[in-house]
Amino acid sequence: QESHDHVTSSNLAIKGKSIFIFDFDCTLTYSHWFYFIRDFNGWKSKFLEELPYYYGCPEDAEEKRNNTLQILSQKISQFITTNNNLNKEQYISKAKSFLFKEELQLLLHYIMGGKARLLMICSLIETLIKNGYEIAIASRGFYNDILFLLAILDSTNNIKMINANHDCTYDANQ
C-alpha cells in the first residue's frame, strides 16, 4: 500500500506483508499529541510538569514558555481545521512548511521527547523496514492530527497506514 489509506491489517495480510503496528500518543510521541492540540490546558496539567525544561527556556521563563506552547497548540489546531479538505499530498506539503524552526524545536522537545529520542525511534523504524516490515499506526485520534506531526517530522514515507478512529468521542474533562 503506497499511501496512508485506511486499509485493514487483513488487506495487508492478503498481500503477504508483515506489519508492525505502533500506537501513536505516548508511544511514538513522548507526551500526548492529541491533548496538546485539542485540549492544551489538559495537556499542560497532565504532561508539561513531568517534562524536562527545554534547553532554550530557563526556569524563570515558565510563563512565557507556557504561553508560547499554547499559541503553538492553537496555531496547529487551526491549521488542521482549516486544511482538512486538502488531499494528502497537498496537506503534507503545506504542513512541512507551516512551522518556524523554533516552533519545530519546541515540538521535538515537548512532544517527541527530544532529538535523541526521535533519532532512536527513526532508527527502530528503519530497522523494521529493512527487515521487511511495513509500518502502521493505530490510534483513537484523528487522521489529519497524526499526519500533520508525521509531515513536519518528514516521516510520512515510512508509515504505510494510519488507522485512526475519526469518530472517536472526546471529552476534555476526562
Side-chain angles (χ1 to χ4, degrees):
Q1 188 77 16
E2 289 300 308
S3 68
H4 296 94
D5 292 340
H6 296 271
V7 296
T8 64
S9 58
S10 61
N11 288 352
L12 290 173
I14 291 169
K15 295 180 180 184
K17 302 277 185 180
S18 297
I19 186 167
F20 200 96
I21 302 171
F22 286 95
D23 177 45
F24 193 69
D25 282 315
C26 299
T27 300
L28 288 180
T29 64
Y30 183 72
S31 71
H32 212 286
W33 175 243
F34 183 84
Y35 277 114
F36 180 77
I37 58 175
R38 301 259 174 195
D39 177 21
F40 180 80
N41 289 328
W43 177 83
K44 186 174 106 176
S45 68
K46 291 180 183 183
F47 298 99
L48 187 57
E49 302 312 317
E50 297 174 12
L51 295 169
Y53 277 94
Y54 180 54
Y55 67 86
C57 181
E59 245 181 89
D60 61 348
E62 184 174 342
E63 185 176 340
K64 182 180 179 192
R65 175 205 60 187
N66 291 350
N67 290 338
T68 300
L69 287 170
Q70 185 168 20
I71 291 167
L72 181 57
S73 168
Q74 292 166 348
K75 179 179 175 180
I76 293 168
S77 182
Q78 180 69 33
F79 173 92
I80 292 168
T81 303
T82 304
N83 294 288
N84 235 356
N85 60 337
L86 297 177
N87 70 41
K88 183 184 73 178
E89 290 75 23
Q90 292 170 324
Y91 186 86
I92 290 170
S93 176
K94 200 167 182 179
K96 282 183 176 184
S97 62
F98 182 67
L99 296 178
F100 296 113
K101 183 178 179 179
E102 297 79 17
E103 294 170 325
L104 182 57
Q105 293 300 319
L106 284 172
L107 286 182
L108 280 174
H109 180 75
Y110 287 107
I111 300 300
M112 296 307 298
K115 191 173 184 176
R117 184 178 181 280
L118 180 60
L119 291 174
M120 178 195 69
I121 290 169
C122 290
S123 176
L124 170 64
I125 289 172
E126 288 171 12
T127 300
L128 289 167
I129 291 170
K130 285 178 187 172
N131 286 307
Y133 286 93
E134 296 226 348
I135 307 302
I137 293 173
S139 175
R140 289 185 345 142
F142 292 98
Y143 177 82
N144 278 343
D145 295 4
I146 295 168
L147 188 59
F148 178 87
L149 190 58
L150 293 175
I152 64 168
L153 297 174
D154 205 23
S155 298
T156 54
N157 291 334
N158 290 333
I159 308 298
K160 297 299 179 190
M161 179 178 74
I162 300 172
N163 185 0
N165 183 359
H166 291 280
D167 298 322
C168 71
T169 55
Y170 172 65
D171 181 359
N173 298 317
Q174 287 186 355

